[in-house]
Amino acid sequence: MYKRQVLVLPGLMASDFSTRALRSFLRDKGYAAHGWKQGRNLGPSDALIAAMVERLTDLQRRHGRRVSLIGWSLGGIYARELSRAMPDLVRQVITLASPFRDVAAVNVPRRLQARARRDNPLPDDAALRAHLRDPLPVPTTAIFSHSDGIAAGASCRADPAPRTESLEVESSHLGIGHHPVVLLTIADRLAQAEGAWRPFVPPRGWRFPFVPRVVTD
């Protein structure tokens, strides 16, 4: 029986170990959830970009269907750019606390910031920042929290666009990929039939913070 394919990308300095619980939950729901298999996420590089492209291409080719991408923090920025570059291979993108709207709006220890700048320098370019926040060509769900503690909530919200939504939860940055409300929301988003995406509708009678708050402004 065919299982929908999901590729999960970890955050900065994290590895597939950090997404193991999320992937296990998705497998219990009947999805084929895959890690990225690139070790610890040390930031973008030409070699890493090529490896992620190869991983996504291989999953799509082996199973013959588009792959859903879930990215945690920096992994969400990777997921967005993969979908932008290869929309025919991607079914949808779900980001978790990913500051794509303003990559500078993060509270990261200075030593990690210095290492990232040294190993993988990125230009401080307004055009690049605008590019990162541009809407995607595939259905997109941005899940964020104002109690994140690392990434500013406003930096993780998507700009209004067709087939795009932003959902607020109450969670820490390091806990968002394990949060029960987030896991159930991810399952809801993945369960939609391909080509029939609809915005998230909170279950009747449930209220924030026990379900995500749909942000429209």
Side-chain angles (χ1 to χ4, degrees):
M1 180 174 126
Y2 167 72
K3 291 186 177 182
R4 292 176 181 171
Q5 306 299 310
V6 182
L7 177 59
V8 185
L9 308 176
L12 180 66
M13 301 304 295
S15 67
D16 283 332
F17 182 82
S18 69
T19 66
R20 186 171 61 174
L22 170 55
R23 287 182 285 115
S24 177
F25 169 80
L26 293 177
R27 289 181 187 129
D28 287 344
K29 292 290 184 181
Y31 298 98
H34 307 274
W36 79 332
K37 293 188 175 181
Q38 303 304 319
R40 191 176 296 278
N41 183 356
L42 300 178
S45 67
D46 289 343
L48 178 60
I49 292 168
M52 288 191 292
V53 167
E54 182 178 359
R55 179 75 166 137
L56 174 58
T57 302
D58 178 62
L59 287 174
Q60 192 278 333
R61 183 174 54 242
R62 277 195 284 145
H63 302 284
R65 297 293 183 93
R66 292 181 176 182
V67 180
S68 294
L69 302 180
I70 300 175
W72 191 339
S73 193
L74 179 58
I77 296 176
Y78 295 164
R80 286 176 58 86
E81 294 311 302
L82 283 171
S83 75
R84 204 188 303 278
M86 298 181 290
D88 291 343
L89 276 60
V90 177
R91 185 169 183 265
Q92 66 179 306
V93 170
I94 301 173
T95 60
L96 309 178
S98 299
F100 56 85
R101 197 175 186 182
D102 183 359
V103 293
V106 293
N107 181 23
V108 176
R110 290 181 180 178
R111 61 185 179 83
L112 294 183
Q113 293 187 42
R115 175 175 178 172
R117 286 194 296 268
R118 182 184 70 246
D119 295 345
N120 305 289
L122 289 175
D124 183 16
D125 185 271
L128 173 62
R129 293 196 298 271
H131 166 82
L132 291 176
R133 67 185 288 177
D134 273 349
L136 301 181
V138 302
T140 308
T141 300
I143 302 176
F144 72 95
S145 173
H146 284 301
S147 57
D148 184 295
I150 292 180
S155 72
C156 304
R157 290 171 44 184
D159 290 340
R163 299 190 303 169
T164 299
E165 62 188 353
S166 296
L167 306 177
E168 182 187 354
V169 298
E170 283 286 346
S171 176
S172 67
H173 189 83
L174 298 181
I176 199 167
H178 311 285
H179 196 296
V181 168
V182 174
L183 295 179
L184 292 174
T185 302
I186 291 172
D188 175 271
R189 302 290 75 202
L190 292 176
Q192 299 175 99
E194 187 165 356
W197 186 90
R198 294 292 183 273
F200 177 77
V201 176
R204 181 175 298 179
W206 288 27
R207 295 291 184 269
F208 183 82
F210 301 105
V211 294
R213 184 173 72 88
V214 179
V215 178
T216 58
D217 55 359

